[in-house]
Amino acid sequence: MRFYNAVARLSVRLVLLLTLVFAAVGPVWSADSTTVTVMLRGQPDMNQAIVELIEEYLNDYPTDVKLEVLQVPGNEVYEKLQVMSASDLNLDLVHFTTPHVYPAAHNGLVENLTGWIERSPDFDLDQYYPGVIESIAYQGDVYALPFGQSGPKMLFYNADQLDAVGVPYPDLSWDWESEAIDYGRRLLQDKNGDGSPDQWAFDRNLITNNGGLDVPIIRAYGGRMWTEDGGLHLTSSEAQEAYQFLISLWNTGIFSQGVSLFDGWSNGTHAMTILGTSVVPRFRESSNFDWDAAQPPAMNGHRYTTTWAESPFGIPAHSANKQVAWDILKYIVSPRGQSKIVELGLATPIHRDVATSPVFLEDAPPSRMEMVEALAYTLPRGGDDSLVWGRIRGQYTSMLRRILAGEISPFEGMTMIQQQYEAALAESR
């Protein structure tokens, strides 16, 4: 039985509940107006900003269109989309978590947008960064468009700590083999005098939590984490060489121990970390020191980073108002819509013109031009079948920690992970 398509087993009670929800919150409009239903996930503040963005567009729409909003937790979006599709409850835009785009496209629950794009002379897909679009594509076609991106992942640094040890800020001369390790050793300090370090150069999550260095470094060694058909490729000689380097990097001792990512950043336990640009609002609120971001260090003569589509929207295949939904989606990703998203602080823009405009570049810290330049070599973050990857991501992270601790070899450990992934992939298809 397929992992994704469980509509037959979905509860009738949930269908009735959704019907009651719509009956309770759905306004009654005149016969002369169209009601567009949007399902939003996320925090209330984010949802409110999205609603304002859509309503701003609909105010100038040539016909009378009213907006009806259903807010659901992010982990319930896919299930509710299945229920509403099976029950013929109208839904015109769905606000996904990125890993759900693949199964929704695979099971025909969302509209293939490629035809809509090709029929729209005012829409140029080349104006959008390919790493973002690739992260939510399915078999070469576009099934969703995000309102922004949570990348590219950048090297965020505590300028005060670097100043204290008398070193210049990171630049394009940096690589992981030399400069990063040299800085790391200078920043390694025992401030309380107990004989053990309590200040480190880098956040340990770069290596131990899957997503900071594994994909870029495997690519830098000539490998790929995922094959083109969605399978893992972690036992290749290139991937194994990359894991061996990660082990050697970990063993330098320059990565923090026993502290959470954000606590370590705010209290100065680690001076640097690599994260997506979605952390910028939080860093601005919590940092009582000077900080900025630079492009990630090179590795093996190559420089890569990753990105992730932030809050992609799809048009359900059973939508009764596809043209209006497409027009709204086009507006969200248009230069005007993207500029509004930057002003609201929701995400890094995906439109090239907005990413290089004053509205984005002048919003610092961090130095935005560094981000724009990094987008030229940015890769999509996760596998072709990223929802399946999500099922074993915890096992991968645990295995990576065992490998770093010397408990198991990279080849043996990643062979086990690859087998688990392939079994989950086969079950889902």
Side-chain angles (χ1 to χ4, degrees), residues 120-144:
S120 301
D122 57 341
F123 190 96
D124 182 4
L125 194 60
D126 291 337
Q127 287 297 312
Y128 301 88
Y129 291 104
V132 185
I133 303 301
E134 288 171 22
S135 73
I136 48 174
Y138 172 67
Q139 295 185 346
D141 284 327
V142 179
Y143 284 82

PDB file of all heavy atoms in Angstrom, residues 120-144:
ATOM      1  N   SER A 120       1.774  32.099 -19.893  1.00  0.00           N
ATOM      2  CA  SER A 120       1.754  33.432 -19.276  1.00  0.00           C
ATOM      3  C   SER A 120       2.918  34.258 -19.800  1.00  0.00           C
ATOM      4  O   SER A 120       4.057  34.088 -19.355  1.00  0.00           O
ATOM      5  CB  SER A 120       1.836  33.311 -17.749  1.00  0.00           C
ATOM      6  OG  SER A 120       0.766  32.558 -17.239  1.00  0.00           O
ATOM      7  N   PRO A 121       2.662  35.159 -20.756  1.00  0.00           N
ATOM      8  CA  PRO A 121       3.764  35.952 -21.323  1.00  0.00           C
ATOM      9  C   PRO A 121       4.427  36.874 -20.312  1.00  0.00           C
ATOM     10  O   PRO A 121       5.560  37.312 -20.526  1.00  0.00           O
ATOM     11  CB  PRO A 121       3.069  36.758 -22.433  1.00  0.00           C
ATOM     12  CG  PRO A 121       1.621  36.774 -22.066  1.00  0.00           C
ATOM     13  CD  PRO A 121       1.367  35.485 -21.356  1.00  0.00           C
ATOM     14  N   ASP A 122       3.735  37.172 -19.206  1.00  0.00           N
ATOM     15  CA  ASP A 122       4.307  38.055 -18.192  1.00  0.00           C
ATOM     16  C   ASP A 122       5.065  37.290 -17.112  1.00  0.00           C
ATOM     17  O   ASP A 122       5.477  37.881 -16.110  1.00  0.00           O
ATOM     18  CB  ASP A 122       3.204  38.893 -17.536  1.00  0.00           C
ATOM     19  CG  ASP A 122       2.103  38.038 -16.905  1.00  0.00           C
ATOM     20  OD1 ASP A 122       1.996  36.850 -17.283  1.00  0.00           O
ATOM     21  OD2 ASP A 122       1.363  38.563 -16.053  1.00  0.00           O
ATOM     22  N   PHE A 123       5.262  35.983 -17.299  1.00  0.00           N
ATOM     23  CA  PHE A 123       5.965  35.178 -16.303  1.00  0.00           C
ATOM     24  C   PHE A 123       7.217  34.573 -16.934  1.00  0.00           C
ATOM     25  O   PHE A 123       7.130  33.835 -17.917  1.00  0.00           O
ATOM     26  CB  PHE A 123       5.064  34.062 -15.774  1.00  0.00           C
ATOM     27  CG  PHE A 123       5.627  33.342 -14.575  1.00  0.00           C
ATOM     28  CD1 PHE A 123       5.245  33.701 -13.295  1.00  0.00           C
ATOM     29  CD2 PHE A 123       6.547  32.311 -14.725  1.00  0.00           C
ATOM     30  CE1 PHE A 123       5.754  33.051 -12.188  1.00  0.00           C
ATOM     31  CE2 PHE A 123       7.068  31.652 -13.625  1.00  0.00           C
ATOM     32  CZ  PHE A 123       6.666  32.035 -12.361  1.00  0.00           C
ATOM     33  N   ASP A 124       8.377  34.881 -16.362  1.00  0.00           N
ATOM     34  CA  ASP A 124       9.655  34.390 -16.884  1.00  0.00           C
ATOM     35  C   ASP A 124      10.333  33.568 -15.792  1.00  0.00           C
ATOM     36  O   ASP A 124      10.864  34.105 -14.826  1.00  0.00           O
ATOM     37  CB  ASP A 124      10.540  35.567 -17.295  1.00  0.00           C
ATOM     38  CG  ASP A 124      11.868  35.121 -17.894  1.00  0.00           C
ATOM     39  OD1 ASP A 124      12.073  33.901 -18.053  1.00  0.00           O
ATOM     40  OD2 ASP A 124      12.697  35.992 -18.210  1.00  0.00           O
ATOM     41  N   LEU A 125      10.322  32.250 -15.950  1.00  0.00           N
ATOM     42  CA  LEU A 125      10.883  31.367 -14.933  1.00  0.00           C
ATOM     43  C   LEU A 125      12.379  31.595 -14.743  1.00  0.00           C
ATOM     44  O   LEU A 125      12.922  31.323 -13.665  1.00  0.00           O
ATOM     45  CB  LEU A 125      10.615  29.906 -15.313  1.00  0.00           C
ATOM     46  CG  LEU A 125      10.829  28.866 -14.211  1.00  0.00           C
ATOM     47  CD1 LEU A 125       9.920  29.117 -13.018  1.00  0.00           C
ATOM     48  CD2 LEU A 125      10.611  27.451 -14.764  1.00  0.00           C
ATOM     49  N   ASP A 126      13.056  32.122 -15.763  1.00  0.00           N
ATOM     50  CA  ASP A 126      14.490  32.377 -15.653  1.00  0.00           C
ATOM     51  C   ASP A 126      14.808  33.488 -14.657  1.00  0.00           C
ATOM     52  O   ASP A 126      15.971  33.662 -14.275  1.00  0.00           O
ATOM     53  CB  ASP A 126      15.075  32.739 -17.015  1.00  0.00           C
ATOM     54  CG  ASP A 126      15.096  31.556 -17.979  1.00  0.00           C
ATOM     55  OD1 ASP A 126      15.074  30.409 -17.484  1.00  0.00           O
ATOM     56  OD2 ASP A 126      15.131  31.776 -19.196  1.00  0.00           O
ATOM     57  N   GLN A 127      13.794  34.246 -14.246  1.00  0.00           N
ATOM     58  CA  GLN A 127      14.011  35.310 -13.268  1.00  0.00           C
ATOM     59  C   GLN A 127      14.090  34.775 -11.836  1.00  0.00           C
ATOM     60  O   GLN A 127      14.345  35.532 -10.901  1.00  0.00           O
ATOM     61  CB  GLN A 127      12.896  36.350 -13.352  1.00  0.00           C
ATOM     62  CG  GLN A 127      12.972  37.243 -14.578  1.00  0.00           C
ATOM     63  CD  GLN A 127      14.244  38.082 -14.568  1.00  0.00           C
ATOM     64  OE1 GLN A 127      14.584  38.706 -13.573  1.00  0.00           O
ATOM     65  NE2 GLN A 127      14.953  38.071 -15.681  1.00  0.00           N
ATOM     66  N   TYR A 128      13.905  33.459 -11.683  1.00  0.00           N
ATOM     67  CA  TYR A 128      13.901  32.864 -10.351  1.00  0.00           C
ATOM     68  C   TYR A 128      15.108  31.946 -10.191  1.00  0.00           C
ATOM     69  O   TYR A 128      15.500  31.259 -11.127  1.00  0.00           O
ATOM     70  CB  TYR A 128      12.591  32.110 -10.116  1.00  0.00           C
ATOM     71  CG  TYR A 128      11.393  33.026 -10.251  1.00  0.00           C
ATOM     72  CD1 TYR A 128      10.787  33.224 -11.490  1.00  0.00           C
ATOM     73  CD2 TYR A 128      10.926  33.737  -9.158  1.00  0.00           C
ATOM     74  CE1 TYR A 128       9.721  34.101 -11.633  1.00  0.00           C
ATOM     75  CE2 TYR A 128       9.861  34.619  -9.288  1.00  0.00           C
ATOM     76  CZ  TYR A 128       9.264  34.796 -10.521  1.00  0.00           C
ATOM     77  OH  TYR A 128       8.232  35.679 -10.658  1.00  0.00           O
ATOM     78  N   TYR A 129      15.679  31.949  -9.003  1.00  0.00           N
ATOM     79  CA  TYR A 129      16.897  31.177  -8.774  1.00  0.00           C
ATOM     80  C   TYR A 129      16.608  29.682  -8.906  1.00  0.00           C
ATOM     81  O   TYR A 129      15.715  29.138  -8.253  1.00  0.00           O
ATOM     82  CB  TYR A 129      17.460  31.497  -7.388  1.00  0.00           C
ATOM     83  CG  TYR A 129      18.005  32.894  -7.311  1.00  0.00           C
ATOM     84  CD1 TYR A 129      17.293  33.903  -6.674  1.00  0.00           C
ATOM     85  CD2 TYR A 129      19.221  33.216  -7.893  1.00  0.00           C
ATOM     86  CE1 TYR A 129      17.786  35.201  -6.612  1.00  0.00           C
ATOM     87  CE2 TYR A 129      19.728  34.513  -7.838  1.00  0.00           C
ATOM     88  CZ  TYR A 129      19.006  35.496  -7.200  1.00  0.00           C
ATOM     89  OH  TYR A 129      19.489  36.778  -7.152  1.00  0.00           O
ATOM     90  N   PRO A 130      17.380  28.992  -9.761  1.00  0.00           N
ATOM     91  CA  PRO A 130      17.074  27.586 -10.067  1.00  0.00           C
ATOM     92  C   PRO A 130      17.171  26.662  -8.865  1.00  0.00           C
ATOM     93  O   PRO A 130      16.423  25.691  -8.771  1.00  0.00           O
ATOM     94  CB  PRO A 130      18.114  27.224 -11.139  1.00  0.00           C
ATOM     95  CG  PRO A 130      19.186  28.259 -11.023  1.00  0.00           C
ATOM     96  CD  PRO A 130      18.515  29.501 -10.552  1.00  0.00           C
ATOM     97  N   GLY A 131      18.103  26.936  -7.922  1.00  0.00           N
ATOM     98  CA  GLY A 131      18.218  26.071  -6.753  1.00  0.00           C
ATOM     99  C   GLY A 131      16.945  26.013  -5.946  1.00  0.00           C
ATOM    100  O   GLY A 131      16.610  24.979  -5.353  1.00  0.00           O
ATOM    101  N   VAL A 132      16.202  27.123  -5.928  1.00  0.00           N
ATOM    102  CA  VAL A 132      14.940  27.168  -5.186  1.00  0.00           C
ATOM    103  C   VAL A 132      13.868  26.376  -5.928  1.00  0.00           C
ATOM    104  O   VAL A 132      13.154  25.551  -5.343  1.00  0.00           O
ATOM    105  CB  VAL A 132      14.467  28.617  -4.983  1.00  0.00           C
ATOM    106  CG1 VAL A 132      13.228  28.649  -4.110  1.00  0.00           C
ATOM    107  CG2 VAL A 132      15.563  29.466  -4.378  1.00  0.00           C
ATOM    108  N   ILE A 133      13.753  26.619  -7.229  1.00  0.00           N
ATOM    109  CA  ILE A 133      12.724  25.942  -8.019  1.00  0.00           C
ATOM    110  C   ILE A 133      12.972  24.435  -8.046  1.00  0.00           C
ATOM    111  O   ILE A 133      12.044  23.629  -7.930  1.00  0.00           O
ATOM    112  CB  ILE A 133      12.673  26.509  -9.445  1.00  0.00           C
ATOM    113  CG1 ILE A 133      12.414  28.024  -9.417  1.00  0.00           C
ATOM    114  CG2 ILE A 133      11.619  25.793 -10.275  1.00  0.00           C
ATOM    115  CD1 ILE A 133      11.130  28.429  -8.732  1.00  0.00           C
ATOM    116  N   GLU A 134      14.231  24.029  -8.181  1.00  0.00           N
ATOM    117  CA  GLU A 134      14.554  22.603  -8.227  1.00  0.00           C
ATOM    118  C   GLU A 134      14.170  21.887  -6.936  1.00  0.00           C
ATOM    119  O   GLU A 134      13.851  20.693  -6.945  1.00  0.00           O
ATOM    120  CB  GLU A 134      16.051  22.417  -8.492  1.00  0.00           C
ATOM    121  CG  GLU A 134      16.467  22.769  -9.907  1.00  0.00           C
ATOM    122  CD  GLU A 134      17.982  22.782 -10.062  1.00  0.00           C
ATOM    123  OE1 GLU A 134      18.659  22.136  -9.233  1.00  0.00           O
ATOM    124  OE2 GLU A 134      18.482  23.440 -10.992  1.00  0.00           O
ATOM    125  N   SER A 135      14.181  22.610  -5.820  1.00  0.00           N
ATOM    126  CA  SER A 135      13.878  21.970  -4.543  1.00  0.00           C
ATOM    127  C   SER A 135      12.410  21.585  -4.418  1.00  0.00           C
ATOM    128  O   SER A 135      12.051  20.813  -3.527  1.00  0.00           O
ATOM    129  CB  SER A 135      14.276  22.892  -3.380  1.00  0.00           C
ATOM    130  OG  SER A 135      13.392  23.992  -3.252  1.00  0.00           O
ATOM    131  N   ILE A 136      11.552  22.096  -5.309  1.00  0.00           N
ATOM    132  CA  ILE A 136      10.121  21.764  -5.247  1.00  0.00           C
ATOM    133  C   ILE A 136       9.591  21.292  -6.600  1.00  0.00           C
ATOM    134  O   ILE A 136       8.391  21.287  -6.837  1.00  0.00           O
ATOM    135  CB  ILE A 136       9.294  22.972  -4.752  1.00  0.00           C
ATOM    136  CG1 ILE A 136       9.681  24.246  -5.489  1.00  0.00           C
ATOM    137  CG2 ILE A 136       9.439  23.141  -3.248  1.00  0.00           C
ATOM    138  CD1 ILE A 136       8.805  25.425  -5.158  1.00  0.00           C
ATOM    139  N   ALA A 137      10.506  20.885  -7.486  1.00  0.00           N
ATOM    140  CA  ALA A 137      10.087  20.359  -8.787  1.00  0.00           C
ATOM    141  C   ALA A 137       9.843  18.856  -8.684  1.00  0.00           C
ATOM    142  O   ALA A 137      10.336  18.187  -7.774  1.00  0.00           O
ATOM    143  CB  ALA A 137      11.146  20.653  -9.842  1.00  0.00           C
ATOM    144  N   TYR A 138       9.087  18.347  -9.627  1.00  0.00           N
ATOM    145  CA  TYR A 138       8.823  16.905  -9.690  1.00  0.00           C
ATOM    146  C   TYR A 138       8.938  16.462 -11.137  1.00  0.00           C
ATOM    147  O   TYR A 138       8.214  16.948 -12.012  1.00  0.00           O
ATOM    148  CB  TYR A 138       7.427  16.591  -9.144  1.00  0.00           C
ATOM    149  CG  TYR A 138       6.993  15.158  -9.336  1.00  0.00           C
ATOM    150  CD1 TYR A 138       7.637  14.125  -8.662  1.00  0.00           C
ATOM    151  CD2 TYR A 138       5.957  14.838 -10.208  1.00  0.00           C
ATOM    152  CE1 TYR A 138       7.248  12.811  -8.841  1.00  0.00           C
ATOM    153  CE2 TYR A 138       5.551  13.521 -10.391  1.00  0.00           C
ATOM    154  CZ  TYR A 138       6.206  12.508  -9.707  1.00  0.00           C
ATOM    155  OH  TYR A 138       5.818  11.206  -9.888  1.00  0.00           O
ATOM    156  N   GLN A 139       9.888  15.573 -11.408  1.00  0.00           N
ATOM    157  CA  GLN A 139      10.134  15.044 -12.744  1.00  0.00           C
ATOM    158  C   GLN A 139      10.274  16.156 -13.786  1.00  0.00           C
ATOM    159  O   GLN A 139       9.743  16.069 -14.893  1.00  0.00           O
ATOM    160  CB  GLN A 139       9.025  14.066 -13.139  1.00  0.00           C
ATOM    161  CG  GLN A 139       8.994  12.824 -12.257  1.00  0.00           C
ATOM    162  CD  GLN A 139       7.975  11.786 -12.704  1.00  0.00           C
ATOM    163  OE1 GLN A 139       7.094  12.075 -13.517  1.00  0.00           O
ATOM    164  NE2 GLN A 139       8.086  10.580 -12.183  1.00  0.00           N
ATOM    165  N   GLY A 140      10.957  17.228 -13.388  1.00  0.00           N
ATOM    166  CA  GLY A 140      11.255  18.312 -14.309  1.00  0.00           C
ATOM    167  C   GLY A 140      10.176  19.354 -14.470  1.00  0.00           C
ATOM    168  O   GLY A 140      10.382  20.347 -15.178  1.00  0.00           O
ATOM    169  N   ASP A 141       9.026  19.155 -13.846  1.00  0.00           N
ATOM    170  CA  ASP A 141       7.930  20.122 -13.946  1.00  0.00           C
ATOM    171  C   ASP A 141       7.751  20.866 -12.630  1.00  0.00           C
ATOM    172  O   ASP A 141       8.152  20.395 -11.562  1.00  0.00           O
ATOM    173  CB  ASP A 141       6.625  19.426 -14.326  1.00  0.00           C
ATOM    174  CG  ASP A 141       6.582  19.046 -15.791  1.00  0.00           C
ATOM    175  OD1 ASP A 141       7.161  19.782 -16.612  1.00  0.00           O
ATOM    176  OD2 ASP A 141       5.982  18.006 -16.118  1.00  0.00           O
ATOM    177  N   VAL A 142       7.105  22.021 -12.716  1.00  0.00           N
ATOM    178  CA  VAL A 142       6.886  22.878 -11.558  1.00  0.00           C
ATOM    179  C   VAL A 142       5.467  22.656 -11.036  1.00  0.00           C
ATOM    180  O   VAL A 142       4.495  22.796 -11.784  1.00  0.00           O
ATOM    181  CB  VAL A 142       7.083  24.367 -11.934  1.00  0.00           C
ATOM    182  CG1 VAL A 142       6.841  25.262 -10.725  1.00  0.00           C
ATOM    183  CG2 VAL A 142       8.492  24.594 -12.488  1.00  0.00           C
ATOM    184  N   TYR A 143       5.354  22.310  -9.772  1.00  0.00           N
ATOM    185  CA  TYR A 143       4.043  22.052  -9.170  1.00  0.00           C
ATOM    186  C   TYR A 143       3.718  23.015  -8.035  1.00  0.00           C
ATOM    187  O   TYR A 143       2.633  22.960  -7.459  1.00  0.00           O
ATOM    188  CB  TYR A 143       3.969  20.622  -8.649  1.00  0.00           C
ATOM    189  CG  TYR A 143       3.783  19.601  -9.748  1.00  0.00           C
ATOM    190  CD1 TYR A 143       4.873  19.149 -10.488  1.00  0.00           C
ATOM    191  CD2 TYR A 143       2.522  19.101 -10.056  1.00  0.00           C
ATOM    192  CE1 TYR A 143       4.708  18.216 -11.504  1.00  0.00           C
ATOM    193  CE2 TYR A 143       2.347  18.175 -11.073  1.00  0.00           C
ATOM    194  CZ  TYR A 143       3.442  17.739 -11.791  1.00  0.00           C
ATOM    195  OH  TYR A 143       3.271  16.821 -12.814  1.00  0.00           O
ATOM    196  N   ALA A 144       4.639  23.888  -7.695  1.00  0.00           N
ATOM    197  CA  ALA A 144       4.413  24.865  -6.634  1.00  0.00           C
ATOM    198  C   ALA A 144       5.394  26.009  -6.829  1.00  0.00           C
ATOM    199  O   ALA A 144       6.399  25.872  -7.528  1.00  0.00           O
ATOM    200  CB  ALA A 144       4.602  24.229  -5.252  1.00  0.00           C
TER     201      ALA A 144
END
